[in-house]
Amino acid sequence: MPYLVEADTQRPSAGEQLRHMLETPGIVQMPGAHNGLAALQAKAAGLRHSISRAPL
């Protein structure tokens, strides 16, 4: 039951992740993904960040 293991891990909140990303020096590249499939393809391509209005 991987969902039980996933719930036990401590991950920073989405706000903390965004704050950390914006505090790092350099340009943040965030391509737009128009749906969930495009967001998953961006993730599979190795992009660390993307903007999506679709829930994942």
Side-chain angles (χ1 to χ4, degrees):
M1 294 183 214
Y3 59 90
L4 294 177
V5 176
E6 180 71 25
D8 294 337
T9 61
Q10 296 294 326
R11 295 182 62 198
S13 68
E16 291 172 341
Q17 291 178 22
L18 177 63
R19 206 170 299 113
H20 175 70
M21 178 181 56
L22 295 175
E23 288 173 350
T24 57
I27 297 172
V28 178
Q29 297 181 0
M30 294 178 30
H34 59 278
N35 60 27
L37 180 58
L40 291 173
Q41 289 174 330
K43 184 178 180 180
L47 298 170
R48 295 185 59 200
H49 313 289
S50 66
I51 299 172
S52 175
R53 296 195 61 195
L56 294 179

